[in-house]
Every structure is written in structure tokens, then in C-alpha cells.
């Protein structure tokens, strides 16, 4: 009886540790992987939509200032927006030094306004100079806010995840040795492994079923980020489901294989 209780407890711990390894590996390859995030940005047209949003903000501020919209033509490019977003992602994940370059926008805008005034033979008054400076500040600030919402934060959990992963794997190995020693049967141990994989697989599938509907209507930041987030979460949930199905199948096969010894004893009796 005591042996069975120990087996159940150890098997439960192994199941939790296996689930922990799955979560760590999944997180490392998705939300904590900058290349994965960049690819998801491309798939969801995040760069293009950011460029369009910044351009719309520029036009709104320009119309409010009384200037012609033509002054914005070619002021910045989609390539610049994409590069700035990618650089910001590199900063978030790797800590690479990063600063949004806006001098080119300010200088070009200032040059265009000066040329427009010269064409109309106008010399700006002190108040007009202040208004122009304020307009340029607003445009520059709008661009900076458009690059990932100008949020300053870092993701630096790789060391902790690596430690947690090693701890989980070490725990699985140690407990596996204990189970083999206690039961003195490799087939029975395979059956325990199968149960652990079944537990992880069923938990993963259940999580996918419970969460799927809840993520469809997430609204965070704005429409483009919400769209990116929902599609990315759906992609991760699909990976979780597929992993769960694979674990259930492998677990079932190992349980069947581990039952051969018990079947053999039953036949002999």
C-alpha cells in the first residue's frame, strides 16, 4: 500500500515537472523569442499598420496647424518604421542600445516649412516660429509614440528559464531513477512515463479548449496590437493542442507497453 502511494506521489510530481518543461520550451520558442515576434509582426502586417497610423496622426496634426498635407509627402518611409520597430525589439530582448532617430524628420520638416515661407515671400514672426517649433515637436513625439507605443521595458528572463528548465529535467531524472529502483521494472517505469505524458497531454488540450474563446475579443493598446496578440495567442494555443495530442498518443502507447509485464503475469497464473 505504501509503495503504491509513493508511486502515485512521485508520478504526480513527474507529471508536473514534464508540464513545466513543456511550458518553458514553448515560451522560449514563442513569446520570449524575438525572431518569432518579428515574424508574427510581419504576418499580421503590424509594420504597415504602424506606418499608416503614424501617417494619419501626422495628417491630423498638420490639418490642425493650417499647413498643406503635401508637406508630409515622403517625410518618412515604411522601411524606417520597420527598422525602428525591429531595433526596439532588439533592445527589449537583447538590451542592445537603441534610440529612435527623429532628427531626419525634424530637419526635413523644418526645411520644407522654410522653403514654403520663402516661396510666399514671408518671414515668420516670433510667434510663428514658436508655433512651427511646437508643430515639429508634436510630429516628432507622435512618431516616437508610434514605435511600439514608446514603451520602455526589458525582457530578461532567459537565465531564470534556463535554471528552471535544468531543475525540472534534473527532478525528472532523479525521480525516474527512484521509480525504477522501487519497482525494479523498466516496463512498469515506462507505464509511469506514459501516465505522466497523458496527464501533460490532456492538460494541454483542456487548456486550449478553455482559453480559445476567451482570447478572441482581447482589446489592448489599439486595433493592430490586439489583432497581433489574438492571432499570436491562437497560434500558440494550436501548438499547445498539437503537443497535447502527441503526448496523449505516446503516453497511451507507453502505458500499453508497460502493461505487458502485468499481462504476462496474468497469463502465467
Amino acid at each position: 500500500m505504501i509503495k503504491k502511494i509513493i508511486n502515485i506521489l512521485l508520478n504526480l510530481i513527474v507529471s508536473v515537472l514534464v508540464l513545466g518543461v513543456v511550458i518553458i520550451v514553448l515560451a522560449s520558442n514563442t513569446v520570449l523569442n524575438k525572431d518569432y515576434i518579428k515574424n508574427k509582426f510581419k504576418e499580421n502586417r503590424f509594420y504597415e499598420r504602424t506606418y499608416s497610423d503614424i501617417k494619419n496622426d501626422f495628417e491630423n496634426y498638420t490639418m490642425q496647424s493650417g499647413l498643406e498635407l503635401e508637406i508630409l509627402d515622403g517625410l518618412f518611409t515604411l522601411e524606417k518604421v520597420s527598422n525602428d520597430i525591429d531595433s526596439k525589439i532588439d533592445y527589449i530582448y537583447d538590451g542592445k542600445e537603441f534610440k529612435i532617430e527623429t532628427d531626419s524628420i525634424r530637419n526635413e520638416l523644418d526645411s520644407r516649412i522654410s522653403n514654403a515661407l520663402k516661396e510666399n515671400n514671408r518671414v515668420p514672426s516670433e510667434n510663428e516660429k514658436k508655433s512651427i517649433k511646437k508643430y515639429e515637436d508634436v510630429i516628432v513625439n507622435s512618431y516616437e509614440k508610434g514605435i511600439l507605443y514608446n514603451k520602455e521595458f526589458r525582457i530578461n528572463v532567459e537565465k531564470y528559464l534556463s535554471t528552471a528548465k535544468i531543475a525540472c529535467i534534473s527532478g525528472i531524472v532523479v525521480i525516474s531513477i527512484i521509480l525504477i529502483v522501487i519497482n525494479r521494472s523498466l516496463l512498469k517505469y515506462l507505464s509511469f512515463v506514459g501516465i505522466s505524458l497523458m496527464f501533460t497531454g490532456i492538460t494541454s488540450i483542456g487548456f486550449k479548449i478553455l482559453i480559445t474563446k476567451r482570447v478572441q475579443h482581447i482589446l489592448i493598446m489599439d486595433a493592430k496590437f490586439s489583432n497581433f496578440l489574438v492571432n499570436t495567442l491562437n497560434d500558440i494555443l494550436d501548438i499547445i493542442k498539437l503537443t497535447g495530442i502527441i503526448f496523449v498518443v505516446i503516453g497511451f502507447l507507453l502505458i500499453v507497453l508497460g502493461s505487458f509485464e502485468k499481462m504476462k503475469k496474468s497469463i502465467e497464473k
Side-chain angles (χ1 to χ4, degrees):
M1 184 65 181
I2 295 176
K3 183 179 176 181
K4 284 184 178 181
I5 293 173
I6 293 174
N7 279 332
I8 291 171
L9 289 175
L10 291 178
N11 201 43
L12 180 61
I13 294 171
V14 170
S15 298
V16 173
L17 292 176
V18 170
L19 184 60
V21 172
V22 171
I23 292 171
I24 292 169
V25 171
L26 180 63
S28 298
N29 291 325
T30 54
V31 294
L32 299 178
N33 185 320
K34 70 174 184 179
D35 293 326
Y36 175 85
I37 296 298
K38 288 178 181 179
N39 286 332
K40 282 298 165 185
F41 274 172
K42 290 177 182 176
E43 288 178 15
N44 291 279
R45 301 186 71 250
F46 188 86
Y47 299 108
E48 291 88 342
R49 296 179 71 173
T50 298
Y51 172 79
S52 179
D53 285 349
I54 293 174
K55 189 175 180 181
N56 288 336
D57 287 341
F58 279 16
E59 290 176 353
N60 290 333
Y61 292 131
T62 301
M63 286 188 290
Q64 291 172 21
S65 70
L67 294 169
E68 296 294 330
L69 292 180
E70 285 75 10
I71 202 169
L72 299 174
D73 291 345
L75 188 62
F76 69 106
T77 63
L78 172 59
E79 182 181 8
K80 174 174 172 52
V81 171
S82 300
N83 289 337
D84 282 339
I85 291 175
D86 284 345
S87 295
K88 187 68 174 285
I89 292 173
D90 290 338
Y91 164 76
I92 291 171
Y93 283 88
D94 300 333
K96 290 183 179 178
E97 202 170 314
F98 167 74
K99 184 179 183 300
I100 299 175
E101 193 281 310
T102 56
D103 289 341
S104 60
I105 294 176
R106 183 186 291 276
N107 293 337
E108 179 62 25
L109 196 56
D110 190 64
S111 175
R112 292 181 184 187
I113 293 173
S114 296
N115 290 335
L117 290 171
K118 286 179 182 178
E119 288 175 4
N120 290 281
N121 296 316
R122 285 190 56 195
V123 177
S125 64
E126 289 302 317
N127 286 334
E128 285 177 327
K129 287 180 180 179
K130 289 180 181 178
S131 297
I132 291 170
K133 174 68 166 56
K134 185 176 181 181
Y135 167 72
E136 291 173 355
D137 288 342
V138 168
I139 291 295
V140 167
N141 289 335
S142 178
Y143 183 83
E144 290 176 343
K145 288 179 181 178
I147 304 301
L148 289 185
Y149 315 99
N150 203 25
K151 300 292 184 181
E152 295 292 335
F153 64 95
R154 288 282 321 283
I155 295 176
N156 189 18
V157 296
E158 185 177 346
K159 180 175 68 175
Y160 304 105
L161 281 180
S162 179
T163 301
K165 184 179 177 181
I166 293 171
C168 287
I169 293 174
S170 299
I172 292 170
V173 171
V174 170
I175 294 175
S176 296
I177 293 172
I178 294 173
L179 285 171
I180 293 173
V181 171
I182 290 176
N183 295 282
R184 297 179 182 178
S185 169
L186 184 59
L187 284 177
K188 197 167 184 178
Y189 167 70
L190 289 178
S191 181
F192 289 144
V193 172
I195 292 171
S196 297
L197 293 179
M198 285 277 283
F199 170 83
T200 303
I202 292 171
T203 302
S204 299
I205 295 170
F207 180 78
K208 148 74 173 171
I209 294 171
L210 289 173
I211 297 298
T212 297
K213 289 185 178 180
R214 290 174 169 79
V215 304
Q216 303 308 315
H217 306 291
I218 291 177
L219 289 174
I220 299 177
M221 299 294 189
D222 56 18
K224 67 177 180 293
F225 186 82
S226 298
N227 181 69
F228 152 76
L229 185 60
V230 169
N231 289 335
T232 300
L233 288 176
N234 282 331
D235 180 59
I236 293 173
L237 287 173
D238 286 339
I239 295 173
I240 290 173
K241 179 184 176 182
L242 178 61
T243 303
I245 292 171
I246 292 172
F247 274 28
V248 167
V249 172
I250 295 175
F252 175 77
L253 293 175
L254 288 176
I255 290 172
V256 172
L257 182 62
S259 300
F260 282 166
E261 185 175 1
K262 188 179 292 186
M263 291 170 61
K264 183 180 178 182
K265 288 181 179 179
S266 298
I267 291 171
E268 288 176 351
K269 288 183 180 179

PDB file of all heavy atoms in Angstrom, residues 17 20-21 24 28 157-171:
ATOM      1  N   LEU A  17       6.413  18.256 -13.419  1.00  0.00           N
ATOM      2  CA  LEU A  17       7.724  18.675 -13.944  1.00  0.00           C
ATOM      3  C   LEU A  17       7.757  18.613 -15.470  1.00  0.00           C
ATOM      4  O   LEU A  17       8.317  19.499 -16.120  1.00  0.00           O
ATOM      5  CB  LEU A  17       8.828  17.797 -13.348  1.00  0.00           C
ATOM      6  CG  LEU A  17       9.092  17.959 -11.845  1.00  0.00           C
ATOM      7  CD1 LEU A  17      10.136  16.952 -11.364  1.00  0.00           C
ATOM      8  CD2 LEU A  17       9.549  19.382 -11.530  1.00  0.00           C
ATOM      9  N   GLY A  20       5.959  21.478 -16.724  1.00  0.00           N
ATOM     10  CA  GLY A  20       6.799  22.659 -16.566  1.00  0.00           C
ATOM     11  C   GLY A  20       7.809  22.793 -17.690  1.00  0.00           C
ATOM     12  O   GLY A  20       8.019  23.899 -18.222  1.00  0.00           O
ATOM     13  N   VAL A  21       8.430  21.687 -18.081  1.00  0.00           N
ATOM     14  CA  VAL A  21       9.399  21.704 -19.185  1.00  0.00           C
ATOM     15  C   VAL A  21       8.719  22.118 -20.487  1.00  0.00           C
ATOM     16  O   VAL A  21       9.259  22.928 -21.263  1.00  0.00           O
ATOM     17  CB  VAL A  21      10.069  20.321 -19.356  1.00  0.00           C
ATOM     18  CG1 VAL A  21      10.912  20.288 -20.622  1.00  0.00           C
ATOM     19  CG2 VAL A  21      10.927  19.990 -18.146  1.00  0.00           C
ATOM     20  N   ILE A  24       8.073  25.873 -20.432  1.00  0.00           N
ATOM     21  CA  ILE A  24       9.318  26.633 -20.592  1.00  0.00           C
ATOM     22  C   ILE A  24       9.805  26.601 -22.036  1.00  0.00           C
ATOM     23  O   ILE A  24      10.179  27.634 -22.609  1.00  0.00           O
ATOM     24  CB  ILE A  24      10.409  26.087 -19.645  1.00  0.00           C
ATOM     25  CG1 ILE A  24      10.044  26.381 -18.188  1.00  0.00           C
ATOM     26  CG2 ILE A  24      11.773  26.696 -19.984  1.00  0.00           C
ATOM     27  CD1 ILE A  24      10.914  25.667 -17.176  1.00  0.00           C
ATOM     28  N   SER A  28       9.975  29.792 -24.530  1.00  0.00           N
ATOM     29  CA  SER A  28      11.283  30.157 -25.083  1.00  0.00           C
ATOM     30  C   SER A  28      11.257  30.256 -26.604  1.00  0.00           C
ATOM     31  O   SER A  28      11.984  31.054 -27.197  1.00  0.00           O
ATOM     32  CB  SER A  28      12.340  29.132 -24.655  1.00  0.00           C
ATOM     33  OG  SER A  28      12.489  29.107 -23.252  1.00  0.00           O
ATOM     34  N   VAL A 157      14.617  37.198 -18.952  1.00  0.00           N
ATOM     35  CA  VAL A 157      14.295  36.052 -18.101  1.00  0.00           C
ATOM     36  C   VAL A 157      14.979  34.770 -18.577  1.00  0.00           C
ATOM     37  O   VAL A 157      14.723  33.693 -18.031  1.00  0.00           O
ATOM     38  CB  VAL A 157      12.760  35.827 -18.066  1.00  0.00           C
ATOM     39  CG1 VAL A 157      12.060  37.011 -17.421  1.00  0.00           C
ATOM     40  CG2 VAL A 157      12.207  35.580 -19.472  1.00  0.00           C
ATOM     41  N   GLU A 158      15.834  34.891 -19.578  1.00  0.00           N
ATOM     42  CA  GLU A 158      16.469  33.700 -20.152  1.00  0.00           C
ATOM     43  C   GLU A 158      17.237  32.910 -19.106  1.00  0.00           C
ATOM     44  O   GLU A 158      17.165  31.676 -19.053  1.00  0.00           O
ATOM     45  CB  GLU A 158      17.413  34.123 -21.290  1.00  0.00           C
ATOM     46  CG  GLU A 158      18.028  32.945 -22.023  1.00  0.00           C
ATOM     47  CD  GLU A 158      18.908  33.376 -23.184  1.00  0.00           C
ATOM     48  OE1 GLU A 158      18.839  34.555 -23.586  1.00  0.00           O
ATOM     49  OE2 GLU A 158      19.676  32.532 -23.669  1.00  0.00           O
ATOM     50  N   LYS A 159      17.976  33.606 -18.239  1.00  0.00           N
ATOM     51  CA  LYS A 159      18.764  32.940 -17.206  1.00  0.00           C
ATOM     52  C   LYS A 159      17.869  32.161 -16.246  1.00  0.00           C
ATOM     53  O   LYS A 159      18.166  31.018 -15.885  1.00  0.00           O
ATOM     54  CB  LYS A 159      19.584  33.984 -16.439  1.00  0.00           C
ATOM     55  CG  LYS A 159      20.440  33.407 -15.328  1.00  0.00           C
ATOM     56  CD  LYS A 159      21.303  34.477 -14.690  1.00  0.00           C
ATOM     57  CE  LYS A 159      20.448  35.477 -13.927  1.00  0.00           C
ATOM     58  NZ  LYS A 159      21.286  36.467 -13.194  1.00  0.00           N
ATOM     59  N   TYR A 160      16.749  32.774 -15.855  1.00  0.00           N
ATOM     60  CA  TYR A 160      15.836  32.130 -14.914  1.00  0.00           C
ATOM     61  C   TYR A 160      15.136  30.934 -15.555  1.00  0.00           C
ATOM     62  O   TYR A 160      14.929  29.902 -14.920  1.00  0.00           O
ATOM     63  CB  TYR A 160      14.808  33.145 -14.414  1.00  0.00           C
ATOM     64  CG  TYR A 160      15.424  34.364 -13.783  1.00  0.00           C
ATOM     65  CD1 TYR A 160      15.450  35.589 -14.448  1.00  0.00           C
ATOM     66  CD2 TYR A 160      16.020  34.292 -12.521  1.00  0.00           C
ATOM     67  CE1 TYR A 160      16.028  36.703 -13.880  1.00  0.00           C
ATOM     68  CE2 TYR A 160      16.608  35.408 -11.944  1.00  0.00           C
ATOM     69  CZ  TYR A 160      16.604  36.621 -12.624  1.00  0.00           C
ATOM     70  OH  TYR A 160      17.188  37.720 -12.059  1.00  0.00           O
ATOM     71  N   LEU A 161      14.773  31.081 -16.836  1.00  0.00           N
ATOM     72  CA  LEU A 161      14.117  29.978 -17.540  1.00  0.00           C
ATOM     73  C   LEU A 161      15.070  28.803 -17.696  1.00  0.00           C
ATOM     74  O   LEU A 161      14.673  27.645 -17.549  1.00  0.00           O
ATOM     75  CB  LEU A 161      13.635  30.438 -18.922  1.00  0.00           C
ATOM     76  CG  LEU A 161      12.338  31.242 -18.971  1.00  0.00           C
ATOM     77  CD1 LEU A 161      12.011  31.626 -20.404  1.00  0.00           C
ATOM     78  CD2 LEU A 161      11.179  30.454 -18.380  1.00  0.00           C
ATOM     79  N   SER A 162      16.325  29.107 -18.011  1.00  0.00           N
ATOM     80  CA  SER A 162      17.323  28.050 -18.162  1.00  0.00           C
ATOM     81  C   SER A 162      17.512  27.293 -16.853  1.00  0.00           C
ATOM     82  O   SER A 162      17.582  26.058 -16.835  1.00  0.00           O
ATOM     83  CB  SER A 162      18.647  28.668 -18.607  1.00  0.00           C
ATOM     84  OG  SER A 162      19.636  27.665 -18.733  1.00  0.00           O
ATOM     85  N   THR A 163      17.550  28.050 -15.745  1.00  0.00           N
ATOM     86  CA  THR A 163      17.699  27.420 -14.420  1.00  0.00           C
ATOM     87  C   THR A 163      16.483  26.553 -14.093  1.00  0.00           C
ATOM     88  O   THR A 163      16.617  25.424 -13.602  1.00  0.00           O
ATOM     89  CB  THR A 163      17.867  28.496 -13.335  1.00  0.00           C
ATOM     90  OG1 THR A 163      19.011  29.298 -13.626  1.00  0.00           O
ATOM     91  CG2 THR A 163      18.029  27.855 -11.959  1.00  0.00           C
ATOM     92  N   ALA A 164      15.288  27.075 -14.381  1.00  0.00           N
ATOM     93  CA  ALA A 164      14.049  26.337 -14.118  1.00  0.00           C
ATOM     94  C   ALA A 164      13.983  25.070 -14.963  1.00  0.00           C
ATOM     95  O   ALA A 164      13.566  24.003 -14.481  1.00  0.00           O
ATOM     96  CB  ALA A 164      12.847  27.235 -14.401  1.00  0.00           C
ATOM     97  N   LYS A 165      14.409  25.183 -16.225  1.00  0.00           N
ATOM     98  CA  LYS A 165      14.395  24.022 -17.124  1.00  0.00           C
ATOM     99  C   LYS A 165      15.335  22.925 -16.625  1.00  0.00           C
ATOM    100  O   LYS A 165      14.976  21.744 -16.599  1.00  0.00           O
ATOM    101  CB  LYS A 165      14.787  24.469 -18.532  1.00  0.00           C
ATOM    102  CG  LYS A 165      14.720  23.374 -19.579  1.00  0.00           C
ATOM    103  CD  LYS A 165      15.111  23.931 -20.941  1.00  0.00           C
ATOM    104  CE  LYS A 165      15.130  22.851 -22.007  1.00  0.00           C
ATOM    105  NZ  LYS A 165      15.542  23.397 -23.326  1.00  0.00           N
ATOM    106  N   ILE A 166      16.535  23.330 -16.229  1.00  0.00           N
ATOM    107  CA  ILE A 166      17.510  22.367 -15.704  1.00  0.00           C
ATOM    108  C   ILE A 166      16.987  21.705 -14.436  1.00  0.00           C
ATOM    109  O   ILE A 166      17.129  20.488 -14.237  1.00  0.00           O
ATOM    110  CB  ILE A 166      18.865  23.060 -15.432  1.00  0.00           C
ATOM    111  CG1 ILE A 166      19.512  23.500 -16.743  1.00  0.00           C
ATOM    112  CG2 ILE A 166      19.807  22.136 -14.653  1.00  0.00           C
ATOM    113  CD1 ILE A 166      20.742  24.373 -16.571  1.00  0.00           C
ATOM    114  N   ALA A 167      16.347  22.507 -13.577  1.00  0.00           N
ATOM    115  CA  ALA A 167      15.795  21.979 -12.324  1.00  0.00           C
ATOM    116  C   ALA A 167      14.704  20.950 -12.607  1.00  0.00           C
ATOM    117  O   ALA A 167      14.658  19.880 -11.963  1.00  0.00           O
ATOM    118  CB  ALA A 167      15.244  23.127 -11.480  1.00  0.00           C
ATOM    119  N   CYS A 168      13.824  21.265 -13.569  1.00  0.00           N
ATOM    120  CA  CYS A 168      12.739  20.331 -13.908  1.00  0.00           C
ATOM    121  C   CYS A 168      13.283  19.027 -14.478  1.00  0.00           C
ATOM    122  O   CYS A 168      12.855  17.935 -14.074  1.00  0.00           O
ATOM    123  CB  CYS A 168      11.790  20.982 -14.915  1.00  0.00           C
ATOM    124  SG  CYS A 168      10.736  22.275 -14.246  1.00  0.00           S
ATOM    125  N   ILE A 169      14.227  19.148 -15.415  1.00  0.00           N
ATOM    126  CA  ILE A 169      14.802  17.950 -16.041  1.00  0.00           C
ATOM    127  C   ILE A 169      15.554  17.114 -15.012  1.00  0.00           C
ATOM    128  O   ILE A 169      15.457  15.875 -14.990  1.00  0.00           O
ATOM    129  CB  ILE A 169      15.727  18.349 -17.208  1.00  0.00           C
ATOM    130  CG1 ILE A 169      14.901  18.965 -18.344  1.00  0.00           C
ATOM    131  CG2 ILE A 169      16.494  17.129 -17.721  1.00  0.00           C
ATOM    132  CD1 ILE A 169      15.725  19.527 -19.485  1.00  0.00           C
ATOM    133  N   SER A 170      16.298  17.796 -14.128  1.00  0.00           N
ATOM    134  CA  SER A 170      17.036  17.076 -13.075  1.00  0.00           C
ATOM    135  C   SER A 170      16.071  16.346 -12.157  1.00  0.00           C
ATOM    136  O   SER A 170      16.306  15.190 -11.763  1.00  0.00           O
ATOM    137  CB  SER A 170      17.880  18.063 -12.267  1.00  0.00           C
ATOM    138  OG  SER A 170      18.824  18.714 -13.081  1.00  0.00           O
ATOM    139  N   GLY A 171      14.968  17.008 -11.810  1.00  0.00           N
ATOM    140  CA  GLY A 171      13.950  16.391 -10.966  1.00  0.00           C
ATOM    141  C   GLY A 171      13.338  15.168 -11.628  1.00  0.00           C
ATOM    142  O   GLY A 171      13.122  14.132 -10.969  1.00  0.00           O
TER     143      GLY A 171
END
